[in-house]
Amino acid sequence: MKRLIEKGLMFGNLVRVDSPALVERYNRGLRQLARKETALTEFHIDLSGYSPEIGEELGDHLYLNPNGCNRQFILLSTEQKSAPLLNAKFSMSRSILRRFIEENEEQLFSLTARDAVVGELEDTVYELGSAVRLFDIQRITVVADTTGNHVAESEKLSGLITRFRTEPEGWYDDALIGQMIGLAERTGDVTRNPVALRATSFETPDFWTAHFGGLYIFRSVPHPAAIAMGDRIALGALPIDYVFAHEQRNEIAKFLEMNALVEPIVRARGADAGAILRQKMDFILVEAASRLGLDAGSGSRRELRAIAQHLGSALPEEFQALAAILRWLEAGGPWPRIDSRHPAYFYTLRAAQGPLRDLVNMLLAELCPLDVRQMFICHKELFYRLYATWPEAKKAYVADFLEREYQIDKAGARRALFGAEPGMEDLPAPGPWDAAPVPPKAPSPRDAVDLVGPWGAVLRGRR
């Protein structure tokens, strides 16, 4: 992992805490949330205030995430909104925390100027003894205040001011006036500078969780389902129509197609399909070379081409299928018939635009483990876990590639691969029963995509 850290691919963009005042504020928050404190005089924190250095010191990397649910946070600065969220157990945690900071940036800037803001992503579930408890998570509420309860006291003072102004005897109530004066000494003038936090409640129908071996839950789509990356049988009965194991490729493909959640890369608007396919083929060759102990040199395309020539008919199926698509796309080769049983099937897709884009791309990253770039961008927890198991040559190639091709322009790379970031104006893609009828015509190779699905008919097996 040292190579990733040095290249800024791990623990990158963390916020440095190195002043005595900030360390003391952090300790006040840590004592309030976890009844612990750090002896470190400098460390780095992520979006939630979690510090890898403090995790090592305490011997507990979940010190702000007990039981892996209801994540707690310590905000020392609004700059934390640009930091990553480490040790994420739920996919929605980062987006909720970041949106909360952005929606309340002015208030939080004022509050963190003199104190730490601490809080929790709160739901009604406090332990996850069984997978069925995950379906009780319907809404996340952000509960936040300073360690000195500035927000709560400001709300209390606002209520007392309302009483003072509306109650007939308010002007003569010495006890009420005394309370107001005492609170105002701590909160300031809340009539001119009101303290109120917005955007604190978020619906969470669809998410990924690391619990139970990894589970994707889709409840807002027309055909709801859960997809288990761990032991599906061990989950028990779940309150959702369908639960698919990760090896049920046909069922997963059908689920994605029926809910219009994916699109073929070769049809994606604005995508350079040829460049994307070539890079996926390079990743597949690097994996094949490292598995067979072949020297890929620096991993240049010329050296990888030599590896492909050396392997010949022993080339991985994924590589051969993507090469066939590339020939069809650029040289008018025959249309490749790739159905959901084929190991290359999910490599040919990306998430359709819409609010579930990032979650679907995360799922595709698990279904396409050889595409290391998508895995790093969309599912860092999985990337770091698999990276530790790779041969040294593959580690070096992947780290150098990501530093050279992704770190330079992260936003541009994401836009080129996955399209524009989802926005409020995005509408769901038309489902299988919503599409407008198309007049019949003689099919061309490209029309075949529409006739049989992304690459071939999704197999209609038993549900």
Side-chain angles (χ1 to χ4, degrees), residues 104-213:
N104 298 282
E105 190 154 5
E106 184 177 342
Q107 298 282 17
L108 292 173
F109 181 83
S110 175
L111 292 171
T112 55
R114 52 183 171 176
D115 201 354
V117 173
V118 299
E120 184 175 336
L121 303 186
E122 187 178 271
D123 57 54
T124 57
V125 177
Y126 296 94
E127 58 83 25
L128 292 170
S130 62
V132 72
R133 298 301 306 278
L134 292 168
F135 291 82
D136 293 332
I137 301 175
Q138 302 282 347
R139 177 188 294 270
I140 300 294
T141 301
V142 182
V143 180
D145 203 341
T146 64
T147 58
N149 298 320
H150 189 81
V151 175
E153 292 188 343
S154 296
E155 290 177 353
K156 184 177 180 181
L157 178 55
S158 296
L160 293 178
I161 291 172
T162 300
R163 282 181 54 195
F164 178 77
R165 289 173 171 172
T166 57
E167 291 182 1
E169 301 298 322
W171 287 86
Y172 309 104
D173 190 335
D174 292 339
L176 175 61
I177 294 171
Q179 278 185 284
M180 290 168 56
I181 293 172
L183 286 172
E185 289 176 351
R186 295 193 295 272
T187 65
D189 186 353
V190 297
T191 59
R192 293 186 179 181
N193 303 295
V195 178
L197 299 176
R198 305 184 303 275
T200 60
S201 187
F202 304 87
E203 299 288 341
T204 56
D206 314 289
F207 59 86
W208 163 88
T209 176
H211 294 284
F212 306 103

Side-chain angles (χ1 to χ4, degrees), residues 328-349:
W328 170 79
L329 180 68
E330 298 183 346
W335 169 248
R337 304 289 297 187
I338 301 172
D339 62 33
S340 55
R341 293 173 301 185
H342 199 287
Y345 179 80
F346 292 109
Y347 287 88
T348 67
L349 306 175

Side-chain angles (χ1 to χ4, degrees), residues 157-357:
L157 178 55
S158 296
L160 293 178
I161 291 172
T162 300
R163 282 181 54 195
F164 178 77
R165 289 173 171 172
T166 57
E167 291 182 1
E169 301 298 322
W171 287 86
Y172 309 104
D173 190 335
D174 292 339
L176 175 61
I177 294 171
Q179 278 185 284
M180 290 168 56
I181 293 172
L183 286 172
E185 289 176 351
R186 295 193 295 272
T187 65
D189 186 353
V190 297
T191 59
R192 293 186 179 181
N193 303 295
V195 178
L197 299 176
R198 305 184 303 275
T200 60
S201 187
F202 304 87
E203 299 288 341
T204 56
D206 314 289
F207 59 86
W208 163 88
T209 176
H211 294 284
F212 306 103
L215 186 66
Y216 293 83
I217 296 175
F218 294 89
R219 291 180 289 190
S220 68
V221 295
H223 308 281
I227 300 173
M229 295 298 146
D231 186 346
R232 172 176 170 268
I233 304 300
L235 297 176
L238 299 179
I240 198 166
D241 291 342
Y242 301 102
V243 181
F244 303 129
H246 65 91
E247 62 268 11
Q248 292 181 273
R249 297 173 60 86
N250 177 57
E251 287 80 357
I252 295 172
K254 184 177 180 181
F255 161 78
L256 294 173
E257 181 187 355
M258 289 177 66
N259 291 295
L261 293 176
V262 292
E263 61 183 359
I265 292 171
V266 296
R267 292 181 60 200
R269 180 179 298 178
D272 186 347
I276 295 173
L277 293 174
R278 283 192 177 87
Q279 193 58 67
K280 289 175 183 281
M281 292 163 64
D282 286 352
F283 295 145
I284 294 168
L285 283 176
V286 168
E287 165 63 20
S290 63
R291 187 177 64 250
L292 297 174
L294 300 176
D295 182 12
S298 64
S300 68
R301 187 149 287 163
R302 180 181 57 80
E303 290 167 312
L304 291 176
R305 188 175 180 83
I307 294 288
Q309 292 170 343
H310 175 79
L311 292 175
S313 60
L315 282 165
E317 287 185 83
E318 297 93 335
F319 181 93
Q320 296 189 47
L322 296 185
I325 296 170
L326 196 60
R327 286 193 297 273
W328 170 79
L329 180 68
E330 298 183 346
W335 169 248
R337 304 289 297 187
I338 301 172
D339 62 33
S340 55
R341 293 173 301 185
H342 199 287
Y345 179 80
F346 292 109
Y347 287 88
T348 67
L349 306 175
R350 76 175 192 182
Q353 296 303 301
L356 295 181
R357 189 198 70 167

